[in-house]
């Protein structure tokens, strides 16, 4: 039984194999967040943060990690910042690397974007039940085609444009990645990243199933 709950923008809570994994848990200041405070996260085992931009939840991740003793997984330089801020368990890695946390395997994959600390990344999370890709913030890039070899069940892809892929680029990403299901992220949070999800659906056609989640909604994965 796996469940994916959308927490608005790029933030998710994934329950898989008895573990709770948070992605980019931006809660304070997130206009889409169904939660009012990072303290509303009851338990967490693993926290993945794709890069240090404020809308990806570094500060809230620190607070959740301290309270829950969740293991933070981040790119080497960002991992150092988590340690500096007092996160109790931190695993660092880098692009192309894979780390294991309690039966969950997490691979750092490239993201074409910017950030202040280290480099931005996406994550592929694997468990016997599921293979999931969180793209972080990224442009379309050709090597996304290698992700097709991962036979991904679900891909969380930014579609908002301006800072990431827009719907046209994201539809091309779907062609390359070929996930069974796509959940669009990083759109509609503010004016600069408004996106037409109906048009995105049309552009993707029958290549993958598109699931639009409203903030707070969950998707049952198995
Ligand atoms: Ni960013
Ligand atoms: Mn962002």
């Amino acid at each position: 039984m796996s469940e994916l709950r959308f927490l608005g923008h790029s933030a998710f809570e994934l329950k898989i194999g008895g573990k709770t994994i948070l992605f980019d848990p931006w809660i304070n200041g997130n206009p889409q967040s169904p939660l009012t405070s990072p303290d509303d996260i009851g338990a967490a085992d693993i926290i993945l943060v794709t890069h240090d931009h404020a809308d990806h939840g570094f500060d809230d991740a620190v607070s959740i990690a301290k309270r829950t003793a969740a293991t933070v997984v981040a790119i080497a330089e960002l991992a150092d910042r988590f340690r500096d801020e007092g996160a109790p368990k931190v695993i660092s890695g880098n692009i192309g690397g894979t780390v294991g946390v309690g039966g969950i395997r997490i691979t750092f994959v490239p993201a074409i974007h910017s950030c202040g600390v280290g480099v931005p990344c996406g994550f592929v999370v694997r468990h016997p039940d599921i293979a999931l890709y969180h793209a972080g913030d990224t442009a379309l890039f050709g090597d996304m085609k290698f992700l097709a070899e991962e036979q991904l069940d679900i891909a969380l892809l930014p579609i908002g444009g301006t800072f990431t892929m827009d719907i046209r680029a994201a539809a091309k990403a779907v062609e390359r990645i070929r996930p069974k299901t796509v959940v669009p992220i990083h759109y509609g949070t503010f004016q600069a990243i408004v996106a037409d999800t109906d048009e995105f659906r049309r552009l993707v056609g029958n290549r993958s199933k598109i699931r639009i989640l409203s903030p707070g909604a969950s998707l049952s994965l198995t």
Side-chain angles (χ1 to χ4, degrees):
M1 178 69 196
S2 310
E3 194 177 70
L4 181 70
R5 180 161 71 128
F6 185 40
L7 300 179
H9 198 59
S10 293
F12 286 87
E13 178 188 65
L14 173 66
K15 291 190 192 267
I16 188 173
K19 298 258 186 293
T20 298
I21 306 174
L22 301 176
F23 294 86
D24 285 359
W26 179 39
I27 296 164
N28 272 325
N30 179 352
Q32 290 187 342
S33 182
L35 308 176
T36 52
S37 147
D39 294 343
D40 294 341
I41 297 284
D45 299 290
I46 302 169
I47 306 175
L48 308 180
V49 177
T50 59
H51 63 299
D52 67 350
H53 287 159
D55 58 319
H56 295 263
F58 175 86
D59 290 342
D60 290 339
V62 167
S63 138
I64 295 163
K66 285 180 175 170
R67 185 170 48 81
T68 63
T71 300
V72 175
V73 176
I75 214 98
E77 295 79 5
L78 188 58
D80 289 341
R81 294 294 175 94
F82 273 106
R83 291 189 188 100
D84 293 346
E85 293 297 323
K89 292 186 229 158
V90 181
I91 295 180
S92 82
N94 217 316
I95 306 296
T98 297
V99 300
V101 187
I104 313 272
R105 294 177 62 73
I106 300 152
T107 301
F108 294 80
V109 299
I112 306 294
H113 191 62
S114 72
C115 67
V117 176
V119 297
C121 69
F123 294 106
V124 173
V125 172
R126 287 192 208 79
H127 175 271
D129 291 346
I130 206 103
L132 176 147
Y133 168 48
H134 188 303
D137 282 357
T138 188
L140 174 67
F141 56 94
D143 284 357
M144 280 179 173
K145 67 177 183 279
F146 294 120
L147 291 167
E149 295 165 13
E150 306 287 331
Q151 301 190 318
L152 296 164
D153 297 294
I154 183 155
L156 314 177
L157 301 180
I159 66 163
T162 306
F163 304 104
T164 68
M165 300 189 284
D166 60 12
I167 54 170
R168 275 168 188 72
K172 289 180 182 159
V174 173
E175 279 177 43
R176 283 162 178 74
I177 299 165
R178 298 205 298 264
K180 286 184 196 147
T181 298
V182 175
V183 176
I185 66 174
H186 210 275
Y187 71 97
T189 321
F190 22 82
Q191 193 57 40
I193 59 171
V194 167
D196 181 343
T197 51
D198 290 338
E199 180 65 3
F200 178 59
R201 236 184 239 290
R202 197 189 65 75
L203 290 165
V204 170
N206 57 11
R207 288 182 194 89
S208 288
K209 193 187 296 178
I210 307 285
R211 296 297 301 262
I212 310 287
L213 295 183
S214 28
S218 294
L219 188 59
S220 181
L221 300 179
T222 50

